[in-house]
Amino acid sequence: MKREKSVHPKADALYINKLNKIKVLGLIRETGPVSRANIVKVSGLSAPTVTRIVDGLIHDEKLVVEVGMGSSSGGRPPLLIKFNGEQNYVIGIDLGATFTRGALSNLDGKFIKEIRIPTRLESGFNAIMEDLSDLINRLSIGNTRVRKQRIFGVGIAVAGLINKRENLVEYSPDFDWYNVDILIALEKSIEFPVIFDNVTRLMALGELSYGAGQKLQNFICVNVGYGIGAGIIVDGKLLMGADGFAGEFGHITVETDSDIQCSCKKYGCLEALASGRAIALTARSRLARGQSSLLVELCEGDVDKVTAKMVADAARNGDELARNVFYRAMEYIGIGISNLANIFNPELVTIGGGVSLAGDIFFDNIRKSVDKNIMQPTSRKVEILPVAFGENAALMGAFALILHRVLNLDI
Ligand SMILES: [Zn+2]
């Protein structure tokens, strides 16, 4: 077969050069501290090419540093290099409906400064964006060690359906937002590049870049909080889907004759039956029917104040109503995870989000349900663990958004 001749040989050479540089940078981050000779071996590139690329990464982009001598089996010990995560920075935002957390971190994920502010949910989108830009500016100034030019961007984790094609938050039930444009809202006041994505997907990206992903290539990160979602990592890559909606795990139907309507308007969704909000609502409706329970004490008689955490606490203390409600929700989540495991064959499922903070009572019941519902006997045993970074999972994911931009030399 005759190969088509390239129309722009020079452009091609530049492109290949950039791809090689991305490859070398990625290898240095994954394997460092490492010698240039090892990079030559692993990358398959020639020694002069690797030397030229590494020199550029050290002196021009300042993304790689020399870290001293390695050991030698004879001859001159090799000079080792590693990714310069320590002197390059990122700002991450976890935009929650109650609180917004912002953090300045280095590219290794080490926090330098953190600010937490209440989210003015009732004041609407524009007010929240004003607070956000103020927060970002406060994080970026006043650090003598951190040069502003070395802050590579702002990553934002937001709950809701993100339309990646249009770069819009298409719908966020937590904020009651429809088609809002975060980038336009922040453009005028923020001098850094801003990228945002769905909070659950970012938890998975954070796990991929800083946690389980350093060892595993196939895993799923599930978020069980006010809503339910999943970030799915297949062969080391975050699954996006055609429009960027992949991972709307909360909206799989788990009960066909349910009369509980979900925020997405369907009936019988996992989220409508097992999210933190669903657990609280189910317990409230049973209490309203007059069933006796420890919960009456915990909510001081005000049934509308019952939360998922109270239900977990009462269940742990043996309360029957709370156990029924909580265990049933965990069973549904286990059914959902079994389905995910049957389709994607992950090595690990990590779970984060507010409801997962209930601990053993949460994980034990989900594991029981997964064992019961997963395809047997061919399916491997799926490990189910809490997310690596606990309450910082969303922030780590926001950092990872910018880290990926840097590693792709999109800077
Ligand atoms: Zn739904």
Side-chain angles (χ1 to χ4, degrees), residues 250-251 262-264 266 269:
H251 303 286
C262 183
S263 62
C264 74
K266 285 202 303 138
C269 285

Side-chain angles (χ1 to χ4, degrees), residues 95-97 157-162 169 171-175 177 197-200:
L95 184 56
V158 55
L161 209 55
I162 310 293
V169 179
Y171 171 53
S172 176
D174 297 24
F175 291 92
W177 288 344
D197 205 343
N198 169 277
V199 58
T200 307

